[in-house]
Amino acid sequence: MQYVSSSVTVSSGPGADPPEVAGSGDRLLAMMRRRSSEDPITHIERVPARAGITTDWPGWVPAELRAALGRRGVEAPWKHQAEAAELAFSGRHVVIATGTASGKSMAYLLPALATLLADPRATVLYLAPTKALAADQARALAELELEGIRPACYDGDTPRAERDWIRRHSRFVLTNPDMLHHGILPGNAQWTAFLRRLSFVIVDECHTYRGVFGSHVAHVLRRLRRQCERYARPARVPSQPSGPHRRTGPVFVLASATSGDPAATAERLTGHPVAAVTEDTSPRGGVTFALWEPPLLPPDTDNPADLTPTRRSALRETADLLADSITAGVRTLAFVRSRRGAEVVATSARRSLDEAVPGLGRRVAAYRGGYLPEERRALERALLDGELLGLASTNALELGVDLVGLDAVLICGYPGTRASLWQQAGRAGRSGQEALAVLVARDDPLDTYLVHHPEALFGRPVEATVLDPGNPYVLGPQLACAAAEAPLTPADLELFGPGARAAVDELVAAGALRARPTGWYWRDPRRPEVDLRGQDGAPVCVVEAATGRLLGTVDGGSAHFLVHPGAVHLHQGVSYVVDSLDLADGCALVHPAEPDWSTHARDVTSLTVLAVRSYTDAGPVGMFLGEVDVTSQVVSYQRRRIATGEVIDTRPLDLPARELRTMAVWFTVSPQALAAAGVEPAEVPGALHAAEHAAIGLLPLVATCDRWDIGGLSTAVHPDTGAPTVFVYDGHPGGAGFAERAYAVAAQWLRATREAISACGCEAGCPSCVQSPKCGNGNNPLAKNDAVRVLDVVLANLPPEPSPPA
């Protein structure tokens, strides 16, 4: 998002004078900061208001559509909307990449609805990454009241009785990539008429399709193109009434938040050349954007031996700010990174509000994945109707659901990319009003670095979306799905990319496909089981043991950590303890309880190097990129007091190990170089461990990933390298492009890591620099100062840019 903004760096500490307040965002911020004697704000960025630029309606927009939009208050399109719509209507594949609330939906609705109104047989398919967004778009379409369009949502929540009607009669189907993959494409024979007449495919919020998920979606779209070509008929473009305009399939129109190189990303996603529209000409209200670092907690007088400084929890700080906002009548959305975190923030805010004004806590709720469909819909209605004043949500509401009238957004922890940061901040301030956004830093290396280095967030272009359709762990399963839908032919392989033939040969060798003169045939009577989101296993149902009531689900990959026996599970503010976890049946049985402790799973990891793809020889330092095997097992969990964080005990678990073949970046340092830098042999494990934690924490600064997308391992002597080594690996089969990015900018990444450690004011290491919330070894051993020495050696020998991957 290219903003012209001014900034104010705020001195922290008692007695610091707040800057002069000008708008409503500033007034709310001034109220928030009064809660602490130590000013928590490290920086304020002011984004000025911006006027919009309108243009005339394209000549091909029918009067009926202009009138319907006029009834909704749309008198004329913004310039960027008309530009993207013109490209799409002319048959060009196009991506519109502009800011939040810039009206991207108009850019794809104009050509799509104009075509549906002109051609009674034409159809449109809309894809959203979340059900909530598709449902919101369906509501907006229905309100236009255009005859014959018949928009309908077709997803996992759609009743069976309605599905057949939608297949037969809806001309504007709204769904998600998961349903396209699991339901529509496997049953393509039932969708023959719809696919034959498909004119446009709308891919909304396409910047969310990154990593393994994005790579899978890229092939789902290629499978869709393949089925459309099978059923193709000449399609008439309304702008050319003199004769049919032949094309090989539907026009793709993609909408994205502002991102780096959106055209290249859209081309990797669709397999088509794509034009990009990036100039945002919509109006925008001013935004006050504050960076907020929770204060340090007072020393633990009961444990004087523990001198590790600890900051107030970002979750608790966000909950208090959310309660303050609601008390002031400010409609506020708090983004929280985890499902559990969203529940904790909502519960804490409700408790605080009820203590201040009995009954006010009802105006706050949590929103996250794993809820039952009826719960999600009820929460969406309550927020839109104003019944709820505050919501603590995972990124499920980051996307374009129209949350009219929000005044403030709280962001609990850096969301991983600048694109997501601005997307979340943009949820507030619609209709041109002033808005407030606050990034509340977690106590970890990246968040601490960012709140003290605002130049890393503001005035910089957002990241490019990373996806790799050539990932063999994605390509092979997707080709199996395509073959199950219809036999593969040599012509099909070109659609799936240069690695398709090798992947097909592997499937034949494995007995999954049978080669015949007419193509390659799927041999198994059952369909391939492929999870688009790279999750390990089917979802696990969370069931209340006493009643049999289904509370929700957790994904299979997280079940070992979230619903292991003894785990505390939160659902809509109610606390449960897990009695048992049956992985074979995909069921966790729980009972309601309110213990005064929380649970934290611990795992052990081993790693084997399989192949080196590229390396840089830097004397005593080596930087490598390659393929690795990672074996991990959750072996125990800690119980910690909620009030103090004190560890009560550690209890063993008996869960199966899991294996992951993926990509990693790693560096080695010779023992002699470490000794020369003053790192004693006994301190090498702690130094490498601390450097590993900080490097994982800072990788999202240079790659479009989340620290939970990646893992790491460090050792004083690794058997495959024979030297002190630090590994950082992608947490998805086959890799997700993060390790490659880290290798390409290794010097920049590790320099920021070194700075984050050295700038921290703690003595021995803390969550702000080298401690990790996901460490399976309980953050032991760690040697903060020696980690700086290790990174000094690496940076002194490493060239500015390693060799590119071979």
Side-chain angles (χ1 to χ4, degrees), residues 24 48-50 101 282-287 404-406 428-435:
S24 57
R50 178 186 63 209
S282 65
R284 175 75 212 190
V287 179
V404 178
L406 285 178
R430 301 231 174 190
S431 304
Q433 73 241 36
E434 292 282 323

Side-chain angles (χ1 to χ4, degrees), residues 527-550:
R527 284 196 45 77
E529 293 185 4
V530 178
D531 187 340
L532 297 189
R533 299 176 188 266
Q535 295 169 348
D536 184 12
V540 172
C541 297
V542 181
V543 177
E544 189 174 23
T547 64
R549 181 169 67 101
L550 175 64

Side-chain angles (χ1 to χ4, degrees), residues 47-63:
V47 181
R50 178 186 63 209
I53 303 173
T54 59
T55 189
D56 295 332
W57 291 107
W60 43 262
V61 178

Side-chain angles (χ1 to χ4, degrees), residues 421-439:
L421 181 75
W422 286 110
Q423 186 80 352
Q424 292 181 3
R427 290 296 95 196
R430 301 231 174 190
S431 304
Q433 73 241 36
E434 292 282 323
L436 172 67
V438 180
L439 172 62

